[in-house]
Amino acid sequence: MTRRAIATVCLSGTLEDKLAAAAAAGFDGIEVFEPDLIGSPWSPAELAARCADAGLTIDLYQPFRDLDSTDPERFARNLRRAERKFDVMTALGTDTMLVCSSVAPDAVADLDRLAEQLAGAADRAAQRGLRLAYEALAWGAEVSTWDAAWEAVRRADHPALGLCLDSFHVLSRGGDPAGFGAVPADKLFFLQLADAPRLEMDVLQWSRHHRLFPGQGAFDLPGFLGAVLAAGYTGPLSLEVFNDVFRQSDPRRAAVDAMRSLLWLEESLAHRSPGAAPGAIPPPPALTGHSFAELAVDGVSGPQLAGALTALGFTHTGQHRSKPVQLWEQGRARVLLNASVVRPEGPGLAAVAALGLESTDPTASALRAEALLAPVLPRTRGAAEAELSAVAAPDGTEVFFTRTGPDGWPADFLDTGAPASPGAGLTAIDHVGLTQPFDSFDEAGLFYRAVLGLEPEGVVEVAAPFGLVRTRAVANPDRTLRLALTASLLRRGGWAPGVPAPQHVAFTTGDVVATARRLRAAGAPLLAVPANYHDDLEARVDLDPGLVAGMRECGLLYDEDAGGSYLHLYTEVLGSRVFFEVVQRIGGYDGYGSVNAPVRMAAHRRLRLATA
Amino acid sequence: MTRRAIATVCLSGTLEDKLAAAAAAGFDGIEVFEPDLIGSPWSPAELAARCADAGLTIDLYQPFRDLDSTDPERFARNLRRAERKFDVMTALGTDTMLVCSSVAPDAVADLDRLAEQLAGAADRAAQRGLRLAYEALAWGAEVSTWDAAWEAVRRADHPALGLCLDSFHVLSRGGDPAGFGAVPADKLFFLQLADAPRLEMDVLQWSRHHRLFPGQGAFDLPGFLGAVLAAGYTGPLSLEVFNDVFRQSDPRRAAVDAMRSLLWLEESLAHRSPGAAPGAIPPPPALTGHSFAELAVDGVSGPQLAGALTALGFTHTGQHRSKPVQLWEQGRARVLLNASVVRPEGPGLAAVAALGLESTDPTASALRAEALLAPVLPRTRGAAEAELSAVAAPDGTEVFFTRTGPDGWPADFLDTGAPASPGAGLTAIDHVGLTQPFDSFDEAGLFYRAVLGLEPEGVVEVAAPFGLVRTRAVANPDRTLRLALTASLLRRGGWAPGVPAPQHVAFTTGDVVATARRLRAAGAPLLAVPANYHDDLEARVDLDPGLVAGMRECGLLYDEDAGGSYLHLYTEVLGSRVFFEVVQRIGGYDGYGSVNAPVRMAAHRRLRLATA
């Protein structure tokens, strides 16, 4: 039975806040990070009792720094310090102490001497019934790789001395987990798990500020864990994540995010093991596309959105049986305008309230989401209405798992009998763009990856008029379902007027120039693109002059990647919070035109100022 | 006459926002950053007209990237791209283009070939009456130092080709400005100025995210500018600062901060030049200490603070002649409780509203502050009241320049006749701790450095319960005036209850143990320190057992540095926003006990929860 633990340093708040959060998220144990204890009025014995009450074991006391020393007197003092910490551990009822490789100028370089000092400390620990897990910090002065740490432990040859393996320290240095197999299983004392993005920076800063929970970064955590387990490790899977955002975000949410990352990790590992027993979590059914995007509107923003959809070639085809919800359709592009959702943003606003995602098995999708700790939303259901399973994404957006057909959600809508618009060539939803709260950007990426089985794409950062903006997209394998998650990297400038950065729904067309002409003729509220943009585009990229002329005429923007190109246009912001995009993907272009976001944002700001 | 310019990339917003901010702050010119133009609906000619209207010249168009190429076809295409940008520059009415050293895989390594290509481009520029300023990016593929850039320019030997010197690119690579003297003055086409903190990170990321205005970082900008001017440079002093905070903060404030940095830089350079003419800005009179700290209170928080001051041994000695302001004194420690200040924080709150700083020439201090763009505050003055000159610091705190004596501000107060308390041994204000708004942390550091002539100390970061906290102190040379400026590094966790992080006033005592005992006896609201803290302290530091026993008894915290040690205690938070600290400095300790801030914050949170 896998035991799951979390270091208190992963979470914000006081030690009391952290314990409550870890217990509520279902963790079995914690690592006690020393500064959390030092700031707590609970004695170690009282902390032990509180943990027991909360169903948590204390799996590690950490860290003990700079144990070894070339100065005998300082080493003797370090041993006295260790004895004091052994007192604390005895009162805590935990038997394992993390000993980091030294970063001090007096760190011992000679492996035999280091082994001797480690063995001496282990001997004292053993006399107290304790043991030491030695870990190579990636920036250790003399020992900075796991194999050097292992060599010291091997030479020390003391039963109370073993290894702590930390995925960050190993993988950040390019260490090879395949080597773990050479370590006897009884020397693998502890395992700490952390993911991280690939960053070009000092490894200490990278480690202290940018670690992530497994599945949120770029490291191969399933491979790492597989190697550790294959080497015979049987202790807890314990998270140790230093992250500036998690340090200040709600610990109750962060703990759930952390638990989800371990569930994802265990499942990912199981998938790699042929013949593994099926896990407790139902596998993700395939998601095949967007069935609808639902916008919350009110009496002011509703007519504004309806007018825009009409100009975009949509037809108001359905009216919900029991709620003030309109269905608008064009091809397979469907938008719901829902006037029954109470949104906190204020009067006159619109917002993306829900995503309808087409699932091959909606019930199984919902069960999986629940097993992965997604909040399941209650539904009020009228007579003759289809059951819809919905969960809440980290930003509060409702995610519906749907089957679009006569027996599915469309049955909830009565035909309006409205004559079908000839349309403007829009065929489907290409993607939905959701602005994430700052605190939940990485949580959201893992949510969509783990809960929905979508693939995360690379992170893109752009310098936008109100600060840096980060985008990470998630998509299904055949790219019929895409979500673009964005967040302000620091914060959005509060000096500029406006509610949080807008959300958007992007529609696909096979001929964006033709579509744009029809939209203009219909009076759609298209966003003007500066001539300077096209002048620069012509200077940068060799494009067909006719195409550029069409782009100038229609206000189209351009991007390209290795796979193809992207032509797109935006509307103005509607209901203060939502805009639409129309996109044509040519070839295998796989991005979202993020490079053009600053041009859009500047244009949106000008319109806001002009109408303020 | 010095001309001062700023690159539009330094400021947040659209190009319109940036122009307005630069003009309002008194800049003479701008560098047009290409993406700002591309996102603007103004044609280049219209932008030129707008700049002329605003009294701004366009001093540089920037940047042109990756000009040279080992691929002749690509080089030819780059020249065509350059021609299009020459069109833009002609319409803008600017004659200088910034050409960065290439970062592309096809960058030319051979200096003669590079010189040939640069000369070819310069020839085309010259035909249009334009010129190219070549700059080594610190991460350029083949040219990454200013001397390599100069060697290429020297070999090209074209009158329309010169150097752009950028302090960041030169100083981040450890370049030596002394070498500029070897460059003919007519080859120094442009100068870009940026400061930066010393960071161990990838130089590109350092440059793109962490530049600062001169005087805010660790580089020797006066030395750099002096070398450039000594080499004969006569162009504008132009700021080019890429900074994540400034990218999203109010551009009007950032532009004033930027202008102040140039005024400081010019003055600092003048000070190094023996026999230089006196500048337009009066030199800073010496500030000799804190005359008072003024707290804004109301009917709820006022009595709470008054009670606490009484227990701390203060006496209510004076009452203001015309305002509801009380003077409380103990030795030279003075606190004003002002019930007439309307604070936006809400009812029941207290806040540090003003600092009284003792000046050898208050009028000159105020004139200097005004010359350095500090907002001068209006004063209502009653009969027989002293004139007080005050300016607003970036966080809104009022800064009074005072002379404490019968003819100074104390004359505004009528003696209450209250019997003097025997006191608790407090003798003066040691420092005032001010929590800064996130956007103005670096602005505040420069404000106190430039306007008040205080010395900035190093930045300290601590991992606190609600996120990382950064502290930077400023002090006068003899350390009788200290301010500790703190800010949440990302943001303070919004999940935890509470108003913005509290401010504090720290008082000096010569014997903190004796003082603490008197405070306890008087019922002062002292903050309890966990026993775990002292257990760890004993394990870490060899201290006299009697001292540690006293620390445990009195709730004292401890820190030490190379110069000495620091014993201190905190009170509870009063009026939801303010606490007091009592400190004893032993030897030459020069810090603020920041390492203990997490213990204090955790204790404050527990009290808040207990009373919520």
Side-chain angles (χ1 to χ4, degrees):
Chain A
M1 184 61 194
T2 305
R3 299 190 64 259
R4 304 182 188 105
I6 185 167
T8 56
V9 75
C10 301
L11 302 171
S12 182
T14 63
L15 189 53
E16 302 92 296
D17 296 318
K18 296 172 186 217
L19 276 198
F27 281 95
D28 303 300
I30 59 169
E31 303 177 23
V32 172
F33 186 59
E34 187 168 70
D36 285 318
L37 179 66
I38 289 171
S40 171
W42 291 340
S43 70
E46 189 174 358
L47 172 58
R50 300 273 184 160
C51 285
D53 288 349
L56 294 166
T57 54
I58 301 178
D59 293 314
L60 188 75
Y61 187 73
Q62 66 129 321
F64 192 86
R65 299 183 196 278
D66 301 339
L67 170 64
D68 53 281
S69 175
T70 52
D71 176 343
E73 192 182 322
R74 187 171 291 128
F75 178 60
R77 198 192 305 159
N78 292 344
L79 287 180
R80 289 198 298 277
R81 175 163 56 101
E83 291 281 2
R84 300 297 297 266
K85 300 304 174 184
F86 294 160
D87 297 342
V88 171
M89 292 172 62
T90 301
L92 286 174
T94 188
D95 69 349
T96 308
M97 172 189 271
L98 177 70
V99 176
C100 303
S101 63
S102 175
V103 301
D106 64 333
V108 174
D110 176 71
L111 275 183
D112 284 321
R113 186 165 175 197
L114 174 61
E116 187 186 329
Q117 293 195 354
L118 291 173
D123 216 47
R124 288 164 182 254
Q127 288 167 28
R128 310 283 293 267
L130 308 175
R131 59 184 201 161
L132 307 181
Y134 185 60
E135 171 186 80
L137 295 181
W139 55 93
E142 301 293 344
V143 171
S144 61
T145 62
W146 79 266
D147 21 333
W150 165 233
E151 186 56 26
V153 168
R154 194 188 65 75
R155 294 191 194 184
D157 192 24
H158 193 289
L161 181 70
L163 272 187
C164 174
L165 292 173
D166 178 305
S167 61
F168 181 87
H169 291 302
V170 174
L171 299 176
S172 66
R173 296 286 309 240
D176 184 3
F180 299 160
V183 181
D186 65 359
K187 285 296 181 187
L188 297 172
F189 279 14
F190 210 76
L191 169 64
Q192 292 181 315
L193 294 166
D195 204 343
R198 286 267 166 224
L199 296 173
E200 289 298 320
M201 68 189 305
D202 177 62
V203 68
L204 187 152
Q205 299 298 325
W206 186 16
S207 173
R208 291 265 174 88
H209 299 283
H210 301 285
R211 291 186 180 205
L212 293 167
F213 294 123
Q216 296 178 336
F219 288 164
D220 176 14
L221 266 293
F224 183 89
L225 177 59
V228 177
L229 296 181
Y233 175 75
T234 57
L237 310 188
S238 190
L239 296 164
E240 194 205 30
V241 171
F242 303 84
N243 179 289
D244 290 353
V245 177
F246 303 156
R247 271 192 197 286
Q248 58 79 54
S249 64
D250 188 332
R252 294 157 294 201
R253 288 188 63 149
V256 169
D257 187 27
M259 175 57 76
R260 185 179 294 132
S261 80
L262 283 182
L263 298 174
W264 170 85
L265 176 59
E266 294 166 31
E267 181 187 53
S268 301
L269 177 59
H271 282 170
R272 296 195 189 181
S273 315
I281 298 173
L287 298 177
T288 58
H290 296 266
S291 42
F292 60 78
E294 179 175 318
L295 305 178
V297 295
D298 65 7
V300 174
S301 61
Q304 195 183 359
L305 269 293
L309 289 172
T310 302
L312 288 168
F314 282 77
T315 302
H316 177 196
T317 56
Q319 189 69 36
H320 195 275
R321 292 176 184 274
S322 62
K323 298 175 195 161
V325 182
Q326 300 177 349
L327 168 62
W328 290 74
E329 295 188 85
Q330 180 172 186
R332 285 174 294 111
R334 303 178 198 95
V335 176
L336 305 184
L337 298 184
N338 186 340
S340 75
V341 181
V342 178
R343 301 288 296 188
E345 283 88 349
L349 297 190
V352 175
L355 304 173
L357 304 183
E358 197 73 350
S359 169
T360 51
D361 185 343
T363 305
S365 287
L367 286 174
R368 175 180 175 81
E370 187 171 7
L372 283 165
L373 310 176
V376 176
L377 297 169
R379 290 287 296 169
T380 55
R381 187 181 167 199
E385 288 176 17
E387 188 172 50
L388 274 177
S389 303
V391 296
D395 65 353
T397 302
E398 300 184 0
V399 177
F400 287 90
F401 302 107
T402 66
R403 196 154 36 204
T404 301
D407 59 336
W409 65 274
D412 295 357
F413 289 83
L414 299 172
D415 193 339
T416 60
S421 157
L426 306 185
T427 56
I429 291 176
D430 180 85
H431 66 273
V432 178
L434 295 171
T435 307
Q436 301 298 300
F438 176 81
D439 282 4
S440 59
F441 184 75
D442 290 305
E443 177 189 352
L446 178 62
F447 175 90
Y448 289 108
R449 179 181 203 177
V451 175
L452 275 61
L454 300 179
E455 296 172 359
E457 302 182 46
V459 169
V460 178
E461 281 177 20
V462 297
F466 306 111
L468 295 174
V469 172
R470 181 177 286 176
T471 299
R472 179 169 210 170
V474 292
N476 66 354
D478 64 2
R479 299 297 192 261
T480 54
L481 192 168
R482 297 173 180 267
L483 301 171
L485 311 174
T486 61
S488 291
L489 199 54
L490 266 184
R491 62 191 70 202
R492 183 176 180 282
W495 63 273
V499 287
Q503 307 163 311
H504 73 280
V505 182
F507 304 109
T508 309
T509 175
D511 182 347
V512 71
V513 174
T515 292
R517 288 180 178 144
R518 287 154 79 176
L519 299 186
R520 287 183 61 184
L526 304 186
L527 195 68
V529 174
N532 296 336
Y533 174 85
H534 294 111
D535 291 346
D536 176 65
L537 182 64
E538 282 191 309
R540 280 193 294 118
V541 188
D542 288 326
L543 291 172
D544 174 73
L547 174 62
V548 177
M551 292 177 65
R552 285 183 186 272
E553 173 201 335
C554 299
L556 298 180
L557 298 136
Y558 179 85
D559 192 23
E560 60 185 22
D561 65 12
S565 60
Y566 188 71
L567 293 165
H568 58 141
L569 64 81
Y570 297 110
T571 70
E572 299 175 3
V573 174
L574 306 160
S576 298
R577 185 74 204 276
V578 173
F579 63 88
F580 297 112
E581 182 181 1
V582 174
V583 316
Q584 180 182 4
R585 292 179 184 272
I586 299 167
Y589 178 86
D590 201 28
Y592 300 82
S594 300
V595 68
N596 296 321
V599 175
R600 168 180 59 74
M601 291 180 193
H604 279 155
R605 167 157 166 82
R606 279 184 203 99
L607 284 171
R608 191 188 296 276
L609 287 177
T611 59
Chain B
M1 184 61 192
T2 305
R3 299 191 64 259
R4 304 184 187 104
I6 186 168
T8 56
V9 75
C10 302
L11 301 171
S12 183
T14 63
L15 188 53
E16 301 93 297
D17 297 319
K18 296 171 187 219
L19 276 198
F27 281 95
D28 303 299
I30 60 169
E31 304 177 24
V32 172
F33 186 57
E34 186 168 72
D36 285 319
L37 178 66
I38 288 172
S40 172
W42 291 339
S43 71
E46 188 173 359
L47 172 58
R50 299 274 183 158
C51 284
D53 288 349
L56 294 166
T57 55
I58 300 178
D59 294 313
L60 189 75
Y61 187 72
Q62 64 128 325
F64 192 86
R65 298 183 196 278
D66 300 339
L67 170 64
D68 52 282
S69 176
T70 53
D71 176 344
E73 191 182 321
R74 186 170 293 128
F75 179 60
R77 197 192 307 161
N78 292 344
L79 288 180
R80 289 198 297 277
R81 175 162 58 100
E83 292 281 3
R84 300 297 296 267
K85 301 304 173 185
F86 295 159
D87 296 343
V88 172
M89 291 171 62
T90 301
L92 285 174
T94 189
D95 68 350
T96 308
M97 172 189 273
L98 177 70
V99 176
C100 303
S101 63
S102 174
V103 300
D106 64 332
V108 175
D110 177 72
L111 274 182
D112 284 320
R113 186 164 174 198
L114 174 61
E116 187 187 329
Q117 294 195 355
L118 290 172
D123 217 46
R124 289 162 180 254
Q127 289 167 26
R128 312 283 293 267
L130 308 175
R131 59 184 201 161
L132 307 182
Y134 184 60
E135 171 186 80
L137 295 181
W139 55 92
E142 302 293 344
V143 171
S144 60
T145 61
W146 80 266
D147 21 335
W150 164 235
E151 186 55 27
V153 168
R154 193 188 65 76
R155 294 191 194 185
D157 192 24
H158 194 289
L161 181 70
L163 273 187
C164 174
L165 293 173
D166 178 305
S167 61
F168 181 88
H169 291 301
V170 175
L171 299 175
S172 67
R173 296 286 310 240
D176 184 4
F180 299 160
V183 181
D186 65 1
K187 285 296 182 186
L188 296 172
F189 278 14
F190 209 76
L191 169 64
Q192 292 180 315
L193 294 165
D195 203 342
R198 286 266 168 224
L199 296 174
E200 289 297 321
M201 67 189 307
D202 176 62
V203 67
L204 186 153
Q205 298 299 324
W206 186 16
S207 173
R208 292 265 174 89
H209 300 284
H210 301 284
R211 290 186 179 205
L212 292 167
F213 293 124
Q216 296 177 335
F219 288 164
D220 177 15
L221 267 292
F224 182 89
L225 177 59
V228 177
L229 296 181
Y233 176 76
T234 57
L237 310 188
S238 190
L239 295 164
E240 193 205 33
V241 171
F242 302 84
N243 178 290
D244 290 354
V245 177
F246 303 155
R247 271 192 196 287
Q248 57 79 53
S249 64
D250 188 332
R252 294 158 293 201
R253 286 188 64 148
V256 170
D257 188 26
M259 176 57 78
R260 184 179 295 134
S261 80
L262 283 183
L263 297 175
W264 170 85
L265 176 59
E266 292 166 31
E267 180 186 54
S268 301
L269 176 60
H271 282 170
R272 296 195 189 180
S273 315
I281 298 172
L287 298 178
T288 58
H290 296 266
S291 42
F292 59 78
E294 179 174 318
L295 305 178
V297 295
D298 66 7
V300 174
S301 60
Q304 196 183 359
L305 270 292
L309 287 172
T310 302
L312 288 168
F314 282 78
T315 302
H316 177 195
T317 56
Q319 190 69 36
H320 196 276
R321 292 175 184 275
S322 63
K323 298 176 196 158
V325 183
Q326 300 177 349
L327 167 62
W328 291 73
E329 293 188 85
Q330 179 171 185
R332 286 175 295 110
R334 303 179 199 94
V335 176
L336 305 184
L337 299 184
N338 186 339
S340 75
V341 181
V342 178
R343 299 288 293 187
E345 284 88 347
L349 298 189
V352 175
L355 305 173
L357 305 182
E358 198 73 351
S359 169
T360 51
D361 186 343
T363 305
S365 288
L367 287 173
R368 176 179 175 81
E370 188 171 7
L372 284 164
L373 311 175
V376 175
L377 296 169
R379 289 288 295 172
T380 55
R381 187 179 164 201
E385 288 176 16
E387 187 172 49
L388 274 178
S389 302
V391 297
D395 66 352
T397 302
E398 300 184 359
V399 177
F400 288 90
F401 301 107
T402 66
R403 195 154 38 203
T404 302
D407 59 335
W409 66 273
D412 294 356
F413 288 84
L414 300 172
D415 193 336
T416 60
S421 158
L426 306 185
T427 56
I429 291 175
D430 180 85
H431 67 273
V432 179
L434 295 172
T435 306
Q436 301 298 300
F438 176 81
D439 281 4
S440 59
F441 184 76
D442 290 307
E443 177 189 353
L446 177 62
F447 175 90
Y448 289 109
R449 180 182 202 174
V451 175
L452 275 63
L454 301 178
E455 297 173 359
E457 303 183 43
V459 169
V460 178
E461 281 178 20
V462 297
F466 306 111
L468 295 174
V469 172
R470 182 177 286 175
T471 298
R472 180 168 211 172
V474 291
N476 66 354
D478 65 2
R479 300 297 192 259
T480 54
L481 192 167
R482 297 173 180 267
L483 301 172
L485 311 174
T486 61
S488 290
L489 198 53
L490 267 183
R491 63 192 69 201
R492 183 175 179 283
W495 63 273
V499 288
Q503 307 163 312
H504 73 278
V505 182
F507 303 111
T508 308
T509 174
D511 182 345
V512 72
V513 173
T515 292
R517 286 181 178 144
R518 287 154 79 176
L519 300 186
R520 287 184 62 185
L526 304 186
L527 195 67
V529 174
N532 296 334
Y533 173 85
H534 295 109
D535 292 347
D536 176 65
L537 182 64
E538 282 191 309
R540 280 192 293 120
V541 189
D542 289 326
L543 290 172
D544 174 72
L547 174 62
V548 178
M551 293 178 65
R552 286 184 186 272
E553 174 200 334
C554 300
L556 298 181
L557 298 137
Y558 179 84
D559 191 22
E560 59 185 21
D561 65 11
S565 60
Y566 187 71
L567 293 165
H568 58 140
L569 63 81
Y570 297 111
T571 69
E572 297 175 4
V573 174
L574 305 160
S576 298
R577 185 75 204 276
V578 173
F579 63 89
F580 296 112
E581 183 182 0
V582 174
V583 317
Q584 180 181 3
R585 293 179 183 270
I586 299 168
Y589 178 86
D590 201 29
Y592 299 82
S594 300
V595 67
N596 297 320
V599 175
R600 167 180 59 73
M601 291 179 191
H604 279 155
R605 166 155 167 83
R606 279 184 204 100
L607 285 172
R608 190 188 297 275
L609 287 178
T611 58

